[in-house]
Amino acid sequence: MGNRFQVKDRFADGAQYIDGQLRSGRSGQSHTVVNPATGEEVLTYELASTADVDEAVAAAKRAFPAWSAATPGERSDALHRLAAVLAEQAEDFAYAESLQCGKPIKLSTEFDVPGTIDNTAFFAGAARHLQGQAAAEYSGDHTSYVRREAIGVVGSIAPWNYPLQMAAWKILPAIAAGNTIVLKPAELTPLTSLMFAQAAKDAGLPDGVVNIVTGAGRDAGEHLVGHPDVVMTSFTGSTAVGKRVAEIATATVKRLHLELGGKAPFLVFDDADLEAAAHGAVAASLINTGQDCTAATRAYVQRPLHDAFVARVAELMETVRLGDPFDPATDLGPLVSHAQRDRVAGFVERARGYATVVTGGEVPGGELAEGAYYRPTLVSGAAQDSEVVQSEIFGPVLVVLPFDTDDEGIALANDTPYGLAASAWSRDVYRAGRATREIKAGCVWVNDHIPIISEMPHGGYKASGFGKDMSAYSFEEYTQVKHVMYDNTAVAAKDWHRTIFGDRI
């Protein structure tokens, strides 16, 4: 994979994209994007100030009347063109995503980029299907119908683990529904969000429809969420930060969408296909180096299969190839930063005091020593109430616990504050069906764990937040539902008026 552009040249004008132009931030503070595989500088840029946020919101506000007045077909055509531009630039997007995140290039090229292109194509179609309840005479004397209208300027915040896909998940349903948007990506990983906005301009979207401000969360992020001209906030990130976002958003009565942390259970019943479950657990726990809010983190395995499952998962984890993200043979890249690597290592080191680290649990040396790498790690023997079971680690760590009865397994699966995703592994359709009904999570897979599709919603229960990304359900977040009611009688003194004044006619 050869890069077709130099990052420093591409973003020489800055890492803010406001009203159709790249520009430098004005906070007086700089930030350096680092390649986590090597520790080398990728780009140093000036962070956004609150004044930059104000200008981005103003640009979005100016663009809103014309964009919201465009027909669904016109917005659909624009998004179809955007999908084509993204496909043309797919290699550049994959390169930039792997460079800033440390993702293996095979993940960027086969998951992140094609998933984003597919999302764009989906919302190009969805833009023409803003559905409402059928027009009818529900009262007998009136005709009622429902309008779906754009709500205004959306101010969204995306995380660093899937910068391109999360930017798309925020931007696409918002603009497909006729809104305009200001997106704040994570300071660590702004490159592909900026490229996405540039691609939107290349596709002919009007200036101001998509704006990117790259700044610190406590400054640019909080100012964006609290801005009086922002009518909706969509945030993806940790539950702790999500609570702060909610405090600010509710103070100005904004619509709020939160996709927060996860601690996904991986529930293996004793009739499951052991080989399938073991392979699924390794893939689902290590995707994106475990930096995935839906990643399998807690494997509950019914006791007859428990020991064999632990042994097989450990065996498979030891075959995983760590290495240069741009080597097509690399399976596992670094974590996004050395700080994140050290955070993950801290969880594992503390777990050694009360559990067994079956494999992994170490920072590799040699050629990988300069990067933020951490070996795939399997932990067993931890208690249900232990930190490693209850807290979101966000790294390549899987914890395995046994259970005896189906009741116990489902209860353990539900026994964390989170409820974003889960999976159940069984050959028995009734057993699996019960798990899908009783596990409290926004997505429950059966005999698989991780696949997502544009047509289906993504979002959680409990401390994992509320609201949906992707799918037609996301239009519930980004449109205002208006009831319009026409009188059909042409009668001046209506019978219901007697409840307020006068007598029955």
Side-chain angles (χ1 to χ4, degrees):
M1 169 71 65
N3 59 310
R4 298 187 301 195
F5 67 92
Q6 294 295 321
V7 171
K8 291 179 181 179
D9 293 338
R10 178 72 173 261
F11 300 107
D13 293 330
Q16 317 301 326
Y17 189 84
I18 299 172
D19 207 13
Q21 299 293 327
L22 279 174
R23 48 191 273 187
S24 184
R26 295 175 293 173
S27 69
Q29 297 177 312
S30 63
H31 185 85
T32 299
V33 177
V34 174
N35 178 350
T38 63
E40 296 173 349
E41 175 193 348
V42 173
L43 176 72
T44 296
Y45 66 92
E46 298 297 314
L47 292 166
S49 67
T50 55
D52 294 318
V53 174
D54 289 341
E55 291 193 15
V57 172
K61 187 176 181 180
R62 287 193 300 273
F64 175 73
W67 182 246
S68 61
T71 67
E74 289 167 339
R75 293 197 295 270
S76 175
D77 289 346
L79 291 179
H80 277 300
R81 293 194 301 271
L82 175 55
V85 171
L86 294 173
E88 290 168 3
Q89 300 177 8
E91 185 178 339
D92 287 350
F93 274 97
Y95 169 77
E97 194 77 336
S98 287
L99 186 67
Q100 67 182 352
C101 299
K103 294 175 186 283
I105 196 65
K106 65 180 181 180
L107 183 65
S108 294
T109 56
E110 297 179 33
F111 181 73
D112 296 73
V113 174
T116 300
I117 295 168
D118 185 71
N119 257 251
T120 307
F122 171 80
F123 280 107
R128 305 182 80 140
H129 296 281
L130 296 176
Q131 297 176 347
Q133 194 167 358
E137 289 67 50
Y138 295 102
S139 78
D141 290 337
H142 308 81
T143 297
S144 289
Y145 67 88
V146 168
R147 290 177 54 87
R148 285 196 177 272
E149 299 179 351
I151 58 177
V153 177
V154 178
S156 294
I157 300 176
W160 47 256
N161 58 332
Y162 289 101
L164 176 60
Q165 289 208 79
M166 295 295 105
W169 287 13
K170 303 300 182 194
I171 292 169
L172 292 169
I175 65 174
N179 305 292
T180 55
I181 189 168
V182 179
L183 174 77
K184 193 197 89 66
E187 304 96 296
L188 291 171
T189 55
L191 303 183
T192 47
S193 298
L194 292 163
M195 291 168 64
F196 190 92
Q198 291 176 305
K201 181 168 184 171
D202 293 343
L205 273 76
D207 292 347
V209 172
V210 178
N211 305 274
I212 309 292
V213 289
T214 307
R218 290 189 178 276
D219 300 320
E222 292 198 2
H223 190 66
L224 177 62
V225 173
H227 200 289
D229 288 333
V230 169
V231 298
M232 174 184 169
T233 289
S234 177
F235 170 81
T236 297
S238 71
T239 298
V241 177
K243 291 177 181 178
R244 175 62 181 156
V245 169
E247 289 174 3
I248 299 169
T250 54
T252 50
V253 200
K254 296 188 193 313
R255 184 175 296 193
L256 184 60
H257 168 213
L258 298 174
E259 199 267 272
L260 307 177
K263 190 69 177 174
F266 188 99
L267 187 60
V268 183
F269 293 103
D270 58 14
D271 67 334
D273 181 325
L274 177 62
E275 195 68 8
H279 278 81
V282 173
S285 63
L286 299 185
I287 185 172
N288 203 35
T289 319
Q291 299 166 125
D292 186 311
C293 50
T294 63
T297 59
R298 302 177 288 139
Y300 296 103
V301 184
Q302 207 150 24
R303 206 170 295 275
L305 288 186
H306 177 270
D307 291 352
F309 178 88
V310 170
R312 186 59 175 138
V313 169
E315 183 179 42
L316 290 171
M317 279 189 170
E318 289 165 6
T319 70
V320 172
R321 299 163 296 185
L322 281 70
D324 176 3
F326 291 102
D327 183 343
T330 292
D331 297 321
L332 196 75
L335 288 110
V336 75
S337 68
H338 288 78
Q340 180 65 14
R341 190 270 313 275
D342 293 345
R343 178 180 179 275
V344 171
F347 275 101
V348 177
E349 290 308 305
R350 290 189 296 274
R352 292 184 193 276
Y354 55 80
T356 299
V357 177
V358 180
T359 189
E362 62 182 12
V363 175
E367 295 180 353
L368 303 181
E370 297 301 316
Y373 289 91
Y374 196 75
R375 292 200 184 280
T377 300
L378 182 65
V379 177
S380 68
Q384 175 66 14
D385 62 356
S386 63
E387 177 191 52
V388 77
V389 175
Q390 292 292 322
S391 299
E392 187 174 32
I393 299 173
F394 229 55
V397 180
L398 177 65
V399 184
V400 184
L401 298 88
F403 69 93
D404 291 304
T405 67
D406 290 15
D407 289 349
E408 180 190 11
I410 292 172
L412 289 170
N414 285 328
D415 186 27
T416 72
Y418 301 105
L420 186 59
S423 63
W425 297 74
S426 173
R427 291 185 173 96
D428 185 328
V429 65
Y430 298 104
R431 213 174 196 183
R434 179 191 174 190
T436 65
R437 293 189 301 273
E438 296 186 13
I439 293 176
K440 304 304 180 187
C443 176
V444 181
W445 292 280
V446 176
N447 294 327
D448 207 345
H449 191 119
I450 284 298
I452 54 175
I453 49 176
S454 297
E455 291 83 359
M456 288 290 117
H458 175 86
Y461 286 29
K462 302 189 294 185
S464 292
F466 48 82
K468 300 299 179 185
D469 288 313
M470 299 197 298
S471 81
Y473 292 97
S474 64
F475 281 119
E476 300 291 338
E477 316 296 326
Y478 293 98
T479 59
Q480 188 69 266
V481 174
K482 178 185 287 184
H483 170 214
V484 178
M485 194 175 200
Y486 282 92
D487 171 62
N488 293 329
T489 67
V491 172
K494 296 179 171 59
D495 188 52
W496 73 265
H497 292 174
R498 69 184 175 80
T499 62
I500 313 301
F501 73 100
D503 300 318
R504 180 182 292 276
I505 301 169

